[in-house]
Amino acid sequence: MKKIISILAITAMIASCKTAKKTEAPKTETVQTADEWIHLFDGTSTKGWRAYNGESLPPGWIVEDGTLTFNTKLGLEQDYTGGIDIIYGDAEFDNFELYLEWKLPAGGNSGIFYHLKEGHESPPEVSPEYQLIDDLGYAKIHDLTEYNLSLGYTHKPEELKPLQRTGSDYAMHPADTINKVLHPIGEWNSSKIIFTPTNVEHWLNGKKLLSFVPWDEAWEEKKNSDKWKNSPNYGKYKTGFIGLQDHSSPIWFRNIKIKKL
């Protein structure tokens, strides 16, 4: 009898556990899943990347130590004069969140393009640009030395204006200088661009630097008041490629990924 009672007790316990599992509330997943991100650079190859208006990468753009980098020495050794920007040519994007990490040398200059269309002379005449530059040392470094003359510089640049500094929507919207955190030259920074038809945001190292509404009346007024007033195609495209600027200076990129919104 005792054995029977024990067996019945164990059976009741197992049944109770199964019932508890069935009635347990499902867990809610709140974290973004990794597969929502599209990785534009895997750290080992340049697959998908090519020159703007070209079929292959320009000389100097290579993979080095897990980064997508522009090596000025290699570019110059192959009679490369700079100014040939690159794009991720496997897909175009309209609304997105773009994330990447980058670093510059002293005096470095580059940029991130989006909604970029080919067939034009250069990306800046059509594409908005998230500015990347040595805020503190650019003007100081680019004196008229023999080396800089060889890179095509013909005059010493003036001190950077707010619309020309890192994180700005180049020549359109200045980056917030109060919240801005720019790491020293040679250290990694992270940038994020969020684009929707109702709001655009530029982020740097976890801090939001600016936001604006694309194509509204204020945007049109800014576009037509200064640098882009004679560039009818600037910013008009609602979809396009992601691009990186070669401005004849070394630059390193890694962890380049994008999420469709």
Side-chain angles (χ1 to χ4, degrees):
M1 178 64 74
K2 287 182 179 180
K3 288 184 178 179
I4 294 174
I5 293 173
S6 298
I7 292 170
L8 289 174
I10 292 170
T11 303
M13 287 175 63
I14 293 171
S16 175
C17 290
K18 288 183 178 179
T19 303
K21 286 183 179 179
K22 287 181 181 179
T23 58
E24 184 178 327
K27 293 181 180 180
T28 302
E29 182 63 60
T30 58
V31 179
Q32 296 282 3
T33 56
D35 58 2
E36 289 182 315
W37 289 100
I38 301 169
H39 291 266
L40 307 187
F41 174 64
D42 62 9
T44 61
S45 78
T46 57
K47 183 182 181 301
W49 292 91
R50 58 179 173 81
Y52 177 72
N53 287 335
E55 297 181 355
S56 59
L57 278 176
W61 282 101
I62 59 173
V63 177
E64 185 176 69
D65 298 328
T67 70
L68 178 60
T69 180
F70 179 70
N71 184 308
T72 53
K73 183 179 180 181
L74 290 177
L76 290 171
E77 284 178 350
Q78 300 182 49
D79 297 322
Y80 178 61
T81 57
I84 299 179
D85 307 309
I86 64 172
I87 63 171
Y88 181 79
D90 279 359
E92 296 189 17
F93 301 93
D94 48 13
N95 307 325
F96 61 84
E97 178 180 337
L98 174 71
Y99 174 89
L100 56 73
E101 296 168 2
W102 56 273
K103 64 179 179 179
L104 286 170
N109 186 6
S110 185
I112 308 164
F113 299 116
Y114 61 87
H115 291 177
L116 178 55
K117 294 290 188 181
E118 293 182 284
H120 300 275
E121 183 176 348
S122 64
E125 67 179 287
V126 293
S127 172
E129 177 187 349
Y130 181 119
Q131 174 76 320
L132 304 176
I133 199 166
D134 177 4
D135 281 1
L136 300 177
Y138 180 74
K140 187 182 300 183
I141 289 292
H142 290 284
D143 204 347
L144 294 183
T145 62
E146 182 178 349
Y147 174 72
N148 290 329
L149 287 170
S150 73
L151 296 180
Y153 295 106
T154 57
H155 67 282
K156 182 177 180 179
E158 300 175 357
E159 293 296 324
L160 296 175
K161 298 175 182 178
L163 289 172
Q164 298 173 308
R165 294 172 185 160
T166 291
S168 295
D169 177 25
Y170 181 69
M172 284 288 284
H173 301 90
D176 178 4
T177 57
I178 297 176
N179 290 319
K180 183 174 179 178
V181 176
L182 179 60
H183 295 160
I185 287 300
E187 294 186 11
W188 287 100
N189 294 274
S190 67
S191 290
K192 179 172 68 175
I193 303 172
I194 297 175
F195 185 95
T196 72
T198 57
N199 186 52
V200 180
E201 296 177 359
H202 282 193
W203 292 69
L204 176 66
N205 295 321
K207 303 289 185 180
K208 185 165 73 172
L209 300 182
L210 61 86
S211 64
F212 62 90
V213 179
W215 309 308
D216 69 356
E217 186 175 338
W219 184 92
E220 291 287 350
E221 184 177 347
K222 281 180 176 292
K223 177 203 177 285
N224 294 318
S225 64
D226 195 6
K227 188 175 181 67
W228 312 119
K229 61 185 177 183
N230 296 318
S231 301
N233 294 314
Y234 173 81
K236 78 173 187 180
Y237 297 110
K238 294 178 171 56
T239 186
F241 297 110
I242 300 298
L244 302 175
Q245 187 180 52
D246 157 32
H247 219 297
S248 298
S249 84
I251 187 166
W252 298 265
F253 294 99
R254 69 183 185 187
N255 296 333
I256 310 172
K257 58 184 181 179
I258 195 167
K259 183 189 299 184
K260 296 179 180 180
L261 299 179

